[in-house]
Amino acid sequence: MWRFITFRLLQAIPVILAVVTVTFFLIRMAPGGPFDGEKAVIPEVRAALEAQYQLDKPLVEQYTAYLGDLLSGDLGPSFKYPGRSVNELIAAGLPVTAELGLYALLVAVVIGGLAGVIAALRPNTAQDYLPMSVAMLGICMPSFLLGPILLLVFGIYLDWLPVSGWGDIPGDKLLPAITLGSTYAAYVARLSRAGMLEVLHQDYIRTARAKGLPEWQVVTRHALRGGLIPVVAFLGPAFAGLLSGSFVVETIFQIPGLGRFYVQAAFNRDYTMILGTTVFLSTLIVVFNLLSDSLAAWMNPRLRAQYASR
Amino acid sequence: MDFSEHPVLEAPEGRSLWDDAWQRLRRNRLAVFGLAVLGLFVLLALLTPWIAPYGYAEQNLDLGASPPSLQHWLGTDTFGRDLLTQILYGGRISLAVGFIATAVALCIGVLWGAIAGYVGGRVDAVMMRLVDILYALPFMIFIVLLMVVFGRNLLLLFLAIGAVEWLTMARIMRAQVQSLKQQEFVEAAMSLGLSPFTIIRRHLIPNALGPVIVYTTLTIPGVMLLEAFLSFLGLGVQPPQTSWGLLISYGAESMEEYPWLLLFPGLALTLTLFSLNFLGDGLRDALDVRGAGD
Amino acid sequence: MLNVEHLSVSFVTRMGVTQAVDDVSFSVRAGEITAIIGESGSGKSVACYSLLGLVPQPPGRIDGGRALFNGRDLLKLPERELRKVRGRDIAMIFQDPMTCLNPYMTIGKQLVEPLRYHRKVSRKAARQRAMELLDEVGIREPDKTFHNYPHEFSGGMRQRVMIAMALINEPRLLIADEPTTALDVTIQAQILQLLARLQKKRDIGIVLISHDLAVVADIADSIIVMQEGRVVERGDATAIFRAATHPYTHKLLAAIPRGSKPPRPASGEALLEVRNLCTQFGRGRHAVKAVDNVSFTIQRGETLGLVGESGSGKSTIGRSLLRLVEPDSGQVLFDGQDITALAPEALKRMRRRMQIIFQDPFASLNPRMTVFETLSEPLLLHGVADRGSVAGQVLSLMDAVGLARGFARKYPHEFSGGQRQRIAIGRALATRPEFIVADEPVSALDVTIQAQILELMGALGREYGLTMLFITHDLAVVRQLADRIVVLRRGAIVEQATTAELLTAPQDGYTRALLAATPGRGLRQTP
């Protein structure tokens, strides 16, 4: 197992390197620079600023310097927030985004998984159609539409829940978490239904029934594990989706998370901030993909053995 | 080959797998509903310039935002523009993005996957490792970056979205070709002495088509969602052009006062996505494709 | 012990109602092995599964009947009560040991499950009991294998685990559904012996479901023959083998291959010569030698049987002859020309002269091509027919393999397995080849269909003057067809001889073991 993880970690290095490289040169190729927005900067000041941030050096040299800093964990100073480092800014935004992502993931796995399993137990009955129709609605109703609608209904018309903020008023985390998690809950529901249906048709389920086990034990002891492996493998991609999706939800509900920083940084050509957040988020996603893949592989003894012998 | 005119062959025609699939699809009410709605929307999109009740840029500042009425079935926006007209024109863009970007993904993915699967060996390993690496990249972040940095360019949007979506298509095609290659009928074709080209054309492609069609149907809604997402962030289509995502974004800004501006474009998008997904699911069942796209 | 009376089960689907089991009655006595024989779709499994409530309802529906087990009607028991019978008083073994064990659970956990659930035995005692049983069914080092997962066992070993699991509650009745069909013949013989031994020791009743009369011939006490949902014959095993009354039973008995092909004079002309063929899969450490220095000759007009169990490399050899697999070294001389060294153009011309028939009639036909398209493809490709004459030739080909002309424009999925195999034979014969490789052409078919296809192949072989390599895992299948037999084990030849010699006086120990394992030996000797 550890060999598998090591192998996958080694595989992650080129991915992250590719992210850094592509991002670095992409933003430099783009028209405009970090000091364009400020009105009429005198050439001397501009040159001084560029020298301060080492923008006057050749591009390749800047690139290698950045890679060097990156290895030591330094993401550089922010261009737009003078005196603050990218590390600090990320550290400020991360806890909020992480908390939001965690709640959303919880919504996705618990609600989605439950709905999928329940639907699979009685396929093609009302017990199947109802949760699956809701799931389809969840997939077809993007967060940027669901969010405003939830806001309108629960925040404004009914006035049950606060419409914005994060951690200021009790209950203000509920709507954002549901908004962000709903699409993934829907996917999880479909995945777990398909997975459970597949497993419930396997011969070994018949063996379990032939042993005389009651149906709930057949499901919990024999079917659940195999049926939920696809869901576990989906957690990585889902997490990636949640991080990207949090831009929108953070915007709608005015939450001071990483996503809003990121979009602002991109608009402002804040080179180091863009690079820093991109690299950070990518690493996070790669690590989560690795985690969910490893977990899925570990749940399957056959794969576990395969990777162990590799 | 068509020998149907030959006099010896008066035998009754058999039912091909496509016939069977069509029969199954027709029995699936949701899929038929999806197909009908989709057909209607595509027709409306094609005919928009002739049937739109108002001009695209026609404003009526005196009227301002008004709720649905007999003159304006779906109401007007703050500039007094007819919302139905806006939705019709927006639908053209949204559907076009969906279909064109999917076509891009389809072409690259099918070709890439088929080559990797058929050639196999080192070529396959290198090609698929590249797909793996691209898969691991946080594409949404990249697209956002791309749009911010290079401005909101429709062509770039097509390319960017197509570039993300081809990966899964390639994987599906490769898996198909690989499993078909091991089927005995392909070996039989080899032992008959057919050329590789003929084997691919007559024996592999017709049999790999099912999952590709299904996945295509399921990619279109994904792409439309992505476009809407970007437009919502203000990174996709830009005025004077419009799309459903952009309309939803405007609608969300003023939803407290004018909720219809949010609801109707949202309804159009959701209904389209619903139809496509139901159609895709129906096709998946009808063609008996297991796990395509998961 | 078990009395089934007038059992009727049907399946209700959108397509209509199918009567799967129609007024079936039978009884099983304690201490006896009762075999239920029937082909796929005869309702033999459904009849037994419905007794234990293992037929999903819907689409299944029990229309009537009684099933008295120790005085209680199983069909009337509420689910809770039935569950207590299931796995405690009546246990089951299924066909495919590869898929019947939960791959996510150690075999130990799966083994103790029925014991812990039904008898509330302590964990330790259950474990102890499980190890004893594992030992009894012939699993070595039970204390170690207890914690292994199913994939770490071979097919035969898994079936032993299944048997242990079924017996752990000391049931009074064991229902074994085709317990050896997925296994190699030598393993099959071991499992059947094990079942017979365990049955005697415990004096329990066994219901043995099988499609093959020969398999049950040696161990069954009484036999029930089913066809299309009905019991057509029942009685003592010896009585049935001696004097069956129903025509269907006669047909089943006739389908058991016996005797051997009379030796034919050697033509003296070698059509195909294989020299030092070696093929390995994978590289380096993981390389597996599939074919290890194999040499043999086939005379013109001769049929050579190539016999071996799974993993013996027999299919790889067959495919190497047609260069569907590239051998690593060695030569295949066909009519004096080395196939392995042919350039693409020459190879294509050569392919007209040698063809192959595959095992799986479901996979060997392109599902999107009609019979007509499938059969006309080789004709047109090799210029045997032109567009004007192709239709006539296809039809005469269909006549030759016994397919009605009206089927020409139908697709493979509209046919049964036997009919599909006829299409595949027609395709192979289309170019009028001299040599045919038949790779297990009947092992996926029901026994009576098997006999028909074998007969067809024999007749066509004579008519077309074919030279044939007949690959099979079952010695019995080739005894009437092959002139000579080559026995293969782990990629190497262990023995080759004429069929009569090999069957009567095998030289190698492995050949003897194979022969001894062939089911229904007693049956074959009686004419």
Side-chain angles (χ1 to χ4, degrees), chain A residues 209-212, chain C residues 52 79 82-88 118:
Chain A
R209 291 198 178 117
K211 285 176 179 175
Chain C
L52 292 178
E79 171 67 21
L82 191 59
R83 270 208 316 266
K84 285 185 189 158
V85 176
R86 217 154 63 195
R88 194 179 66 179
H118 288 291

Side-chain angles (χ1 to χ4, degrees), chain A residues 14-50:
Chain A
V15 173
I16 291 167
L17 196 68
V19 170
V20 177
T21 313
V22 170
T23 318
F24 186 89
F25 289 103
L26 204 65
I27 41 179
R28 292 311 173 88
M29 272 158 56
F35 309 113
D36 285 357
E38 276 135 78
K39 44 200 169 169
V41 183
I42 338 162
E44 287 78 27
V45 178
R46 189 192 180 100
L49 274 171
E50 288 187 346

Side-chain angles (χ1 to χ4, degrees), chain C residues 220-242:
Chain C
D221 297 298
S222 63
I223 289 178
I224 295 159
V225 181
M226 282 184 71
Q227 185 192 20
E228 287 167 14
R230 287 165 212 263
V231 172
V232 294
E233 175 130 25
R234 77 182 76 226
D236 226 35
T238 44
I240 284 197
F241 288 123
R242 203 178 321 111

Side-chain angles (χ1 to χ4, degrees), chain C residues 332-360:
Chain C
V332 177
L333 297 174
F334 182 79
D335 207 6
Q337 269 184 294
D338 187 1
I339 299 284
T340 59
L342 282 184
E345 246 333 283
L347 183 65
K348 189 193 156 188
R349 279 196 301 278
M350 190 59 94
R351 291 207 183 282
R352 183 182 165 176
R353 301 174 62 190
M354 44 204 309
Q355 280 298 310
I356 182 165
I357 302 166
F358 294 98
Q359 168 177 359
D360 187 354

